[in-house]
Amino acid sequence: MDETIATFLIQDGVTNGAVYALLGLAIVLVFSVTRVIFIPQGEFVAHGALTLAMLDAGRVPGTTKLLLCFGAVGFLLDLWRMRQDARLTHLLRSIAVNLLLPGVVYGLVLVLAPLQLPSFVRAAITIAIIAPMGYYVYRIAYRPLADASVLVLLIASIGVHLAIVGLGLIFFGPEGFRAAPLDDSSFTLGPMLVTVQSLMIYVATILIMVGLYIFFDKTLFGKALKATAVNRLGARLVGVRTELTGATAFVMAAAIAAISGVLIGPITTIYYDTGFLIGLKGFVAAILGGMVSFPVTAIAAIGVGLVESFASFFASDFKEIIVFGLIVPVLIWLSFGASHHEEE
């Protein structure tokens, strides 16, 4: 270990930590609104990276077909829900959201995918494909369980995770892919080689963190989203549309995951199941942040990235154990200050 090696380890740790921060922010976002510990967040990141890689190759990504399948299932659930109280406006809204939107996205991708579009346009198409999936996952798996306990919602998250991993294998196959960088330029800063792609990760993390803070603490709609998690029935009584707040949180989380996938796709090879491990490290950052604070979660994620980086140098075989072991002392510390009854 010398100064040069330490500098590179810090650079790598901060870059990875910024990625974990994006996932941790999305996990805290969903939990703050819906009380759902969103384990499949990492799968959306992997699907975003793989979608971008497919678009780079001029191919139609499998996520477009997955979007169509999700929309069809959502439409069938809406029909079942409207069986006793069918209204034309509700039917038209369901057709537009569940059938028309995925169909339009699929048609546009079918036309645009073979074209040699600029990298940022392909990234925007990727986000447009992945973000609506957040709504469909919420509609299919979580909205029917909106009033369930946190434990039931956690079990549902595990099921959704396993389902999405299996669907990823079906639509992308077992091969790994790496997307083309949005910007392949770089410059030297002392002994370090800094890429513009890594700078984009830092900027995206800062902008999303600031945006979420302003949204939740300074806007009426953001406060309505937080009220839904604190007291769902009370929020409903004062006029907050709890179904809308839940769907909004999941769409925002899926969009953040898509942005994360777009940013990390060019710097590492992504497989259909890569997202699980990345998502767990984002979850570690969210736990260290107490599942409530966006700034603390971002800072904790940088710490997780640094611990992982230095652990890979000093004890690479135990790297994952060290990273995930960070949760234990934090949970013990938090348990000392917990005043909730076991039933709560």
Side-chain angles (χ1 to χ4, degrees), residues 79-98:
L79 288 180
W80 176 257
R81 188 182 184 186
M82 291 185 292
R83 70 189 186 281
Q84 295 178 344
D85 184 21
R87 297 181 183 179
L88 182 60
T89 55
H90 292 173
L91 178 61
L92 294 177
R93 185 185 301 117
S94 178
I95 292 174
V97 173
N98 296 306

Side-chain angles (χ1 to χ4, degrees), residues 297-308:
T297 298
I299 295 171
I302 300 298
V304 170
L306 291 173
V307 169
E308 179 187 28

Side-chain angles (χ1 to χ4, degrees), residues 3-67:
E3 293 182 358
T4 302
I5 295 176
T7 300
F8 282 110
L9 290 176
I10 292 173
Q11 180 188 14
D12 185 60
V14 171
T15 301
N16 291 336
V19 175
Y20 302 151
L22 289 173
L23 275 74
L25 293 173
I27 291 172
V28 173
L29 163 66
V30 172
F31 184 78
S32 298
V33 177
T34 64
R35 300 174 299 115
V36 172
I37 300 175
F38 195 43
I39 295 175
Q41 180 69 23
E43 275 62 58
F44 284 96
V45 176
H47 284 196
L50 293 171
T51 297
L52 181 61
M54 295 294 98
L55 292 174
D56 289 339
R59 298 162 55 186
V60 177
T63 40
T64 54
K65 298 178 182 178
L66 182 59
L67 194 65

Side-chain angles (χ1 to χ4, degrees), residues 212-267:
L212 289 175
Y213 169 75
I214 294 174
F215 177 70
F216 278 104
D217 284 23
K218 304 299 181 182
T219 67
L220 183 62
F221 187 51
K223 293 177 180 179
L225 263 67
K226 292 177 67 174
T228 304
V230 174
N231 190 328
R232 188 176 183 85
L233 177 59
R236 189 182 299 137
L237 290 175
V238 298
V240 176
R241 297 176 58 189
T242 54
E243 293 182 355
L244 176 61
T245 57
T248 301
F250 273 83
V251 170
M252 292 173 64
I256 294 174
I259 295 172
S260 304
V262 165
L263 293 174
I264 70 170
I267 63 177

Side-chain angles (χ1 to χ4, degrees), residues 17-323:
V19 175
Y20 302 151
L22 289 173
L23 275 74
L25 293 173
I27 291 172
V28 173
L29 163 66
V30 172
F31 184 78
S32 298
V33 177
T34 64
R35 300 174 299 115
V36 172
I37 300 175
F38 195 43
I39 295 175
Q41 180 69 23
E43 275 62 58
F44 284 96
V45 176
H47 284 196
L50 293 171
T51 297
L52 181 61
M54 295 294 98
L55 292 174
D56 289 339
R59 298 162 55 186
V60 177
T63 40
T64 54
K65 298 178 182 178
L66 182 59
L67 194 65
L68 291 173
C69 295
F70 279 162
V73 174
F75 180 68
L76 292 176
L77 289 176
D78 283 349
L79 288 180
W80 176 257
R81 188 182 184 186
M82 291 185 292
R83 70 189 186 281
Q84 295 178 344
D85 184 21
R87 297 181 183 179
L88 182 60
T89 55
H90 292 173
L91 178 61
L92 294 177
R93 185 185 301 117
S94 178
I95 292 174
V97 173
N98 296 306
L99 300 180
L100 186 59
L101 176 60
V104 170
V105 172
Y106 180 77
L108 289 175
V109 174
L110 201 64
V111 173
L112 297 177
L115 305 178
Q116 296 297 322
L117 298 171
S119 58
F120 283 95
V121 176
R122 295 195 297 270
I125 294 174
T126 299
I127 297 172
I129 295 172
I130 301 299
M133 289 187 182
Y135 167 78
Y136 297 123
V137 168
Y138 170 74
R139 175 66 188 89
I140 296 170
Y142 294 103
R143 198 166 85 179
L145 303 173
D147 296 319
S149 65
V150 175
L151 177 60
V152 172
L153 295 173
L154 175 60
I155 295 172
S157 287
I158 296 173
V160 172
H161 154 69
L162 295 174
I164 294 181
V165 170
L167 291 171
L169 178 60
I170 293 173
F171 287 103
F172 291 108
E175 299 85 6
F177 297 92
R178 179 175 294 196
L182 301 180
D183 191 324
D184 57 0
S185 57
S186 60
F187 60 92
T188 56
L189 183 64
M192 296 186 299
L193 178 65
V194 181
T195 63
V196 174
Q197 186 74 29
S198 62
L199 290 179
M200 290 180 182
I201 297 176
Y202 308 149
V203 172
T205 302
I206 295 172
L207 291 178
I208 290 175
M209 181 179 66
V210 173
L212 289 175
Y213 169 75
I214 294 174
F215 177 70
F216 278 104
D217 284 23
K218 304 299 181 182
T219 67
L220 183 62
F221 187 51
K223 293 177 180 179
L225 263 67
K226 292 177 67 174
T228 304
V230 174
N231 190 328
R232 188 176 183 85
L233 177 59
R236 189 182 299 137
L237 290 175
V238 298
V240 176
R241 297 176 58 189
T242 54
E243 293 182 355
L244 176 61
T245 57
T248 301
F250 273 83
V251 170
M252 292 173 64
I256 294 174
I259 295 172
S260 304
V262 165
L263 293 174
I264 70 170
I267 63 177
T268 185
T269 301
I270 301 294
Y271 297 85
Y272 75 96
D273 58 349
T274 301
F276 180 58
L277 193 59
I278 299 175
L280 281 183
K281 292 174 182 176
F283 178 66
V284 172
I287 290 294
L288 296 179
M291 296 294 285
V292 293
S293 174
F294 294 118
V296 176
T297 298
I299 295 171
I302 300 298
V304 170
L306 291 173
V307 169
E308 179 187 28
S309 181
F310 279 90
S312 65
F313 180 83
F314 289 107
S316 59
D317 292 341
F318 300 97
K319 177 183 66 173
E320 308 299 348
I321 298 174
I322 294 172
V323 170

